[in-house]
Amino acid sequence: MSDKDLGRALLDLDARMLAGAADPREATMKILDGDRRRVWWWSAIALTLWICTLLMVLWMLVAMGLLMPFEAHLRDPAQVARFGMTPEMLKAGELNAEIMFRMITVGITMSVGILALAAGSTVFLVLASRRATLRQINASLLEISDQLKQLRK
């Protein structure tokens, strides 16, 4: 029996079905344990992706913070003369700055992709948590129903 079948069975449990069932608590606990595992995994995935997003954005900010002063030094003739750069060194520095800028652009694009994955995993976490909560409420109501039936007898 798959998780979907168990979930449907839990949602469809009522007094008529319980009359012939051996122990519905076992199926209920199996479903709730699966829900707990699913919520835990989505939490771990979402948290990991959000941390990766944060680190990637910070890394790109630091890289831009290093690139901008480097380019400013290359464009200022006084700084070029102070460091004693030859025209070949200046061209090599400009090429390195251009390569670094393109790499930062790729990094920013990757950051946006990781951000999208983090947002998607958060949505799946919310959906899994909601489903688990509804199943727990349903299981609790089933337990209360059983207790009320026993009190009536």
Side-chain angles (χ1 to χ4, degrees):
M1 186 176 263
S2 71
D3 282 345
K4 281 189 176 183
D5 294 335
L6 288 172
R8 286 191 189 122
L10 179 60
L11 292 174
D12 292 338
L13 282 176
D14 61 4
R16 284 172 277 149
M17 291 181 68
L18 289 177
D23 189 15
R25 289 184 193 103
E26 183 179 320
T28 302
M29 292 310 294
K30 195 178 213 183
I31 293 166
L32 295 179
D33 284 341
D35 285 341
R36 280 187 207 102
R37 280 192 306 276
R38 193 172 297 115
V39 168
W40 187 90
W41 277 109
W42 278 117
S43 298
I45 290 168
L47 183 64
T48 301
L49 286 171
W50 280 112
I51 289 172
C52 287
T53 300
L54 175 68
L55 293 176
M56 191 75 166
V57 167
L58 289 175
W59 184 26
M60 292 301 108
L61 287 174
V62 168
M64 286 298 282
L66 294 174
L67 176 63
M68 293 301 157
F70 180 65
E71 283 189 348
H73 287 295
L74 290 176
R75 304 225 186 281
D76 185 13
Q79 292 289 335
V80 171
R82 190 178 110 195
F83 290 121
M85 295 179 74
T86 62
E88 294 82 25
M89 292 171 69
L90 183 61
K91 278 216 178 278
E94 289 173 350
L95 178 64
N96 286 338
E98 180 67 26
I99 290 170
M100 189 173 171
F101 179 76
R102 289 179 186 212
M103 291 177 72
I104 290 172
T105 304
V106 170
I108 290 170
T109 304
M110 289 174 54
S111 296
V112 171
I114 295 171
L115 178 67
L117 290 174
S121 66
T122 302
V123 168
F124 285 123
L125 171 62
V126 168
L127 292 175
S129 176
R130 180 181 175 271
R131 186 179 308 123
T133 301
L134 290 174
R135 286 183 180 167
Q136 287 174 348
I137 290 170
N138 199 14
S140 296
L141 289 174
L142 182 63
E143 187 70 30
I144 291 169
S145 174
D146 287 344
Q147 291 173 359
L148 287 174
K149 286 178 188 174
Q150 289 175 358
L151 286 175
R152 284 185 186 168
K153 291 182 181 180

